[in-house]
Amino acid sequence: MAEPVTLEARGSDFARLARKINDAGLLNRRPVYYAVRLSLVLAAYAGCWALFWWVGDSWLQVLVAVPLAVIFAQIGFLAHDLGHRQVFRTRRPSDVVGLLIGNLGVGLGWGWWNTKHNRHHANPNHEDHDPDVSPAVIVWSTEQAARSQGLPRFVARWQAFLFFPLLTLEAWHLHIASFRALADPTTKRRPVEGALLVAHFALYLGAIFAVLSPGKALVFLLVHQGLFGVYLGSTFAPNHKGMPILTKDDKLDFLRKQVLTSRNVRGGLFTDVLLGQLNYQIEHHLFPNMPAPNLRHAQPIVQQYCEEIGVSYLETGLIDSYGQALRHLHEVGAALRT
């Protein structure tokens, strides 16, 4: 679990910005907001399963899989906020609710994901330390492309075109990684994590195969998990993909490391809800324990401050953010195509 950001100096530039943010009261908790948001999401979750039961053994269940995938991702956003202690100040309630909605609710390992995500926050877009840019199937830099072998090397040639199709497998990847983490002795609360993961899939698969015939059940699984993965991947892709990749030779202070590797996505209330307010990625990376609804109020303060100290601050539209990310992926694989 990440420790909350304090106002101690992380470099003088960040310390001055932190004082501005603190003076504006933007690090204060928002209990009413999160109580309402959690209630609405859980009500929608229950409503989708009630609709699933009511529709019964019908191909119309393919349509039910769509809102259920959206709700699964929205629960993932709430688990993300809990992991950063945006909801509760202390660890215990954050862990309890996170385990219930993460492991039991959507089948994603709370402990594993938090450890991985905190490593990303510590060194965003650093090819040696950020697990989100580790070369697996996708490669993120020309150096990684040159070193790639086997499947990653084959995929890298056309990875810009394959990126969204590959996201249909992302949810399965996260489920498998959650179970694999249980074999790691450093994983905390392994019995609890494992029991809740098993309970999720027993209930999830049990409900699907109890209501649907085997063929319809398999189609429902493919559509639901595929859309769940695409939605999750599509909310994280605009944030860092296509931004500078750091190496051990880059020596940046905390503020520049977070701002220069992040991209904001402009938009109104719809974009905020769609992306779980992670469209304010710069502000989130500077102040990860800031409650999500406060990020939009911090944005003009951070942007103006970056202009004052001469730090590049990138904000773009949603479609353009995908374009930038995909163009970067295509450029990375250029040498392999020739």
Side-chain angles (χ1 to χ4, degrees):
M1 184 74 64
E3 293 299 324
V5 172
T6 65
L7 298 184
E8 65 185 12
R10 295 280 194 96
S12 59
D13 286 335
F14 175 76
R16 287 192 291 270
L17 175 60
R19 283 194 289 271
K20 290 176 179 286
I21 294 297
N22 187 61
D23 291 344
L26 296 175
L27 297 177
N28 296 337
R29 293 296 178 272
R30 298 285 298 272
V32 174
Y33 164 84
Y34 275 110
V36 172
R37 181 178 166 189
L38 183 60
S39 298
L40 290 175
V41 170
L42 292 181
Y45 182 84
C48 282
W49 283 115
L51 180 62
F52 172 84
W53 192 265
W54 180 76
V55 171
D57 189 16
S58 167
W59 286 110
L60 290 175
Q61 293 286 16
V62 173
L63 300 179
V64 179
V66 177
L68 189 61
V70 172
I71 296 304
F72 265 49
Q74 289 292 328
I75 289 177
F77 296 153
L78 277 168
H80 167 272
D81 292 2
L82 285 158
H84 285 297
R85 275 192 243 170
Q86 297 176 16
V87 184
F88 305 104
R89 288 189 181 277
T90 57
R91 178 174 299 175
R92 184 171 179 79
S94 300
D95 286 349
V96 170
V97 180
L99 284 165
L100 289 175
I101 68 172
N103 291 54
L104 183 60
V106 297
L108 299 183
W110 168 256
W112 162 77
W113 187 84
N114 267 323
T115 300
K116 170 181 174 292
H117 191 62
N118 290 336
R119 288 169 57 204
H120 158 71
H121 266 267
N123 290 284
N125 267 27
H126 195 295
E127 67 175 11
D128 296 323
H129 303 300
D130 183 356
D132 290 352
V133 293
S134 296
V137 177
I138 299 289
V139 295
W140 307 103
S141 69
T142 54
E143 290 78 11
Q144 289 180 351
R147 298 193 301 265
S148 64
Q149 297 179 351
L151 181 62
R153 190 174 185 86
F154 174 79
V155 171
R157 294 184 176 91
W158 306 105
Q159 60 185 7
F161 300 97
L162 296 173
F163 180 71
F164 284 105
L166 285 171
L167 286 182
T168 61
L169 304 175
E170 178 64 13
W172 298 107
H173 162 69
L174 295 174
H175 295 316
I176 292 170
S178 298
F179 275 103
R180 288 179 62 185
L182 298 176
D184 185 348
T186 63
T187 300
K188 297 179 180 179
R189 303 177 300 267
R190 284 194 293 169
V192 175
E193 294 250 2
L196 291 174
L197 283 173
V198 170
H200 166 80
F201 283 101
L203 293 170
Y204 175 74
L205 296 175
I208 291 172
F209 282 93
V211 171
L212 301 177
S213 63
K216 294 188 185 76
L218 289 174
V219 171
F220 181 89
L221 276 172
L222 291 174
V223 173
H224 176 237
Q225 292 294 328
L227 291 177
F228 179 30
V230 169
Y231 187 9
L232 278 182
S234 297
T235 59
F236 286 96
N239 301 335
H240 300 282
K241 309 313 178 191
M243 298 301 290
I245 300 291
L246 304 181
T247 69
K248 60 184 179 181
D249 297 323
D250 295 300
K251 308 298 182 183
L252 299 175
D253 64 5
F254 177 78
L255 183 144
R256 287 163 178 80
K257 179 168 62 175
Q258 303 298 338
V259 174
L260 296 177
T261 59
S262 303
R263 178 196 295 113
N264 273 19
V265 177
R266 70 173 66 93
L269 178 62
F270 176 76
T271 304
D272 290 359
V273 174
L274 180 70
L275 300 183
Q277 298 174 97
L278 294 174
N279 45 313
Y280 303 103
Q281 190 68 192
I282 295 173
E283 289 71 31
H284 171 59
H285 260 258
L286 287 170
F287 302 97
N289 61 313
M290 180 185 291
N294 291 351
L295 293 170
R296 63 181 303 177
H297 303 293
Q299 191 271 334
I301 299 174
V302 173
Q303 184 175 21
Q304 181 180 353
Y305 183 76
C306 287
E307 291 175 359
E308 292 173 358
I309 64 174
V311 174
S312 177
Y313 180 105
L314 179 58
E315 183 181 40
T316 187
L318 180 61
I319 301 302
D320 187 46
S321 71
Y322 291 130
Q324 292 179 28
L326 294 176
R327 284 192 295 272
H328 170 76
L329 290 177
H330 198 57
E331 291 168 2
V332 164
L336 299 181
R337 291 192 297 275
T338 57

